[in-house]
Amino acid sequence: MTPSEPLETRTEARSARTATLAEIAREAGVSAPTVSKVLNGRADVAPSTRTRVEELLRAHGYRRRRAEATRSPLIDLVFHELESAWAMEVIRGVENVARDAGLSVVLSESAGRLTPGRTWADQVAARRPHGVVLVLSGLDESQRALLTSRSIPFVVMDPAGDPGAEVPSIGATNWQGGLAATRHLVELGHRRIGAISGPPQIMCSRARIDGYRAALETAGLPVDPGLIKTGDFHHETGYRLGRELLDRPDRPTAVFAGNDLQALGFYEAARELGLRIPEDVSVVGFDDLPVARWVGPPLTTVRQPLTEMAEAAARLVLELARSSSREGPAATRVELATSLVVRASTAAPPARWTVPDTAGAGHG
């Protein structure tokens, strides 16, 4: 492409004059070869320069043609952390869709950050995948601009924060799940119900603990801040915070854990203190990982349809890829239903902890 070549193909009808590479370069204060590097997804461009050029390309209405013909047979799958059975359920779902479409999956991890590293978007642009699925992650403005300019669609699964109305996302009914888990414990007769939440900066974690609070409040029970512990979705934290709850002289008779891994850590804390589940303390998790059925006693938990969520995210990103040469569909936000799975880790509280309910709800 030469500096004087139009940014749109000659076969397109021109209702207005089209900017050239040289004009974009002059407006951005860079050379025409630098604009070409941005167009071709080259990594050797400063992020600030890339952002400025991409903004001008969008402002001039530039759209790349024949995106599908240049795509690699890949889906990029990005995790903020890649270390648990939870991630395996997501990988399985994306793999199912990719396999049926004749595509492969590229895995990457952002090392606990809620956005990928600075060079990640350049690498994705160079690979030219069919699309990107981000799990508990998001993109900053420059990364969004780069992928959009390269006609690489992206979908966020279980977004860490509010992705914005323009970003397609797949989630679950986390608030309803937290409500159902806690209401189950209330209906069994529990009045002192602890909680071990996930990270407060992650939207699904906040929604689950908000559902927990709503269940207590609608039952007329107080929300005791001392019974709510902030975790990080890891097994070790479930153990440590479980010990803190169970070491209290007024310990809870039941605990809602923000995910299954923290629930299993709580199991370990209870066993270490000689407490039986569910005879001495009941536990509810969240996710319904395969291990929830195998642990003793089998874990009552909220089923989050992880594999189905991942399949939905992968199907959506492929649909967006197919439509990228046309006017794409409106951004889509989908929430799949959670459901309570009752197993053997929950029961009525011990008799010595039971308080008669004389006003619609007792207090323990």
Side-chain angles (χ1 to χ4, degrees):
M1 183 176 288
T2 66
S4 61
E5 184 178 350
L7 291 180
E8 296 177 343
T9 63
R10 295 181 183 277
T11 60
E12 293 185 41
R14 291 182 176 85
S15 58
R17 182 179 173 280
T18 305
T20 65
L21 277 181
E23 290 166 338
I24 293 289
R26 279 197 300 272
E27 195 169 342
V30 299
S31 66
T34 297
V35 177
S36 292
K37 289 180 180 180
V38 173
L39 289 171
N40 292 315
R42 293 271 297 276
D44 52 340
V45 179
S48 59
T49 300
R50 180 186 302 283
T51 298
R52 188 163 67 253
V53 172
E54 295 284 7
E55 288 174 351
L56 287 168
L57 290 170
R58 289 198 306 278
H60 284 277
Y62 175 68
R63 295 289 184 272
R64 288 174 175 81
R65 304 283 289 176
R66 301 187 305 276
E68 191 160 349
T70 64
R71 290 191 179 109
S72 300
L74 303 171
I75 295 177
D76 265 71
L77 176 58
V78 185
F79 288 89
H80 88 300
E81 288 181 340
L82 184 59
E83 60 175 29
S84 72
W86 188 94
M88 293 306 300
E89 296 298 302
V90 175
I91 293 170
R92 180 176 295 112
V94 175
E95 284 275 12
N96 289 344
V97 173
R99 183 173 55 252
D100 290 345
L103 305 176
S104 298
V105 178
V106 176
L107 290 177
S108 56
E109 183 194 50
S110 56
R113 297 186 301 268
L114 297 183
T115 58
R118 290 181 59 183
T119 63
W120 170 85
D122 289 326
Q123 295 167 352
V124 172
R127 281 196 290 272
R128 291 188 172 93
H130 275 62
V132 178
V133 176
L134 299 114
V135 184
L136 279 176
S137 299
L139 299 175
D140 62 31
E141 286 302 319
S142 64
Q143 292 168 336
R144 289 188 191 186
L146 176 57
L147 296 189
T148 299
S149 73
R150 302 300 297 165
S151 299
I152 300 173
F154 52 90
V155 173
V156 180
M157 176 185 155
D158 220 359
D162 184 359
E166 75 283 3
V167 177
S169 64
I170 305 291
T173 54
N174 290 289
W175 183 89
Q176 184 63 41
L179 180 79
T182 311
R183 181 175 287 166
H184 168 66
L185 295 170
V186 170
E187 290 173 349
L188 286 172
H190 294 276
R191 297 296 178 260
R192 287 189 59 76
I193 302 172
I196 302 174
S197 75
Q201 71 271 25
I202 294 180
M203 189 163 63
C204 68
S205 172
R206 295 198 304 270
R208 293 170 196 177
I209 208 70
D210 285 346
Y212 156 87
R213 290 191 179 98
L216 294 179
E217 289 169 353
T218 56
L221 297 173
V223 178
D224 183 349
L227 294 182
I228 302 174
K229 301 295 182 179
T230 301
D232 59 7
F233 285 154
H234 292 152
H235 174 278
E236 296 80 5
T237 305
Y239 165 76
R240 177 175 56 82
L241 298 179
R243 281 296 304 253
E244 290 183 15
L245 287 169
L246 295 175
D247 281 336
R248 294 172 60 106
D250 57 347
R251 69 171 185 257
T253 62
V255 168
F256 167 50
N259 71 337
D260 287 350
L261 293 181
Q262 289 185 150
L264 297 181
F266 184 88
Y267 268 48
E268 184 178 349
R271 281 195 297 268
E272 198 170 86
L273 292 171
L275 298 174
R276 299 165 299 163
I277 298 173
E279 291 85 355
D280 298 313
V281 62
S282 290
V283 188
V284 181
F286 202 110
D287 283 335
D288 196 24
L289 299 176
V291 69
R293 300 189 296 273
W294 308 333
V295 70
L299 176 65
T300 295
T301 189
V302 176
R303 182 175 187 272
Q304 180 176 209
L306 291 170
T307 300
E308 294 91 333
M309 290 165 62
E311 289 173 343
R315 283 194 296 267
L316 179 55
V317 87
L318 294 182
E319 177 188 341
L320 293 169
R322 286 191 293 270
S323 66
S324 63
S325 60
R326 308 185 300 276
E327 184 66 29
T332 304
R333 181 173 295 189
V334 177
E335 283 194 345
L336 301 188
T338 55
S339 57
L340 181 68
V341 181
V342 178
R343 297 193 179 101
S345 68
T346 51
R352 68 183 181 277
W353 292 96
T354 303
V355 177
D357 190 349
T358 58
H363 296 268

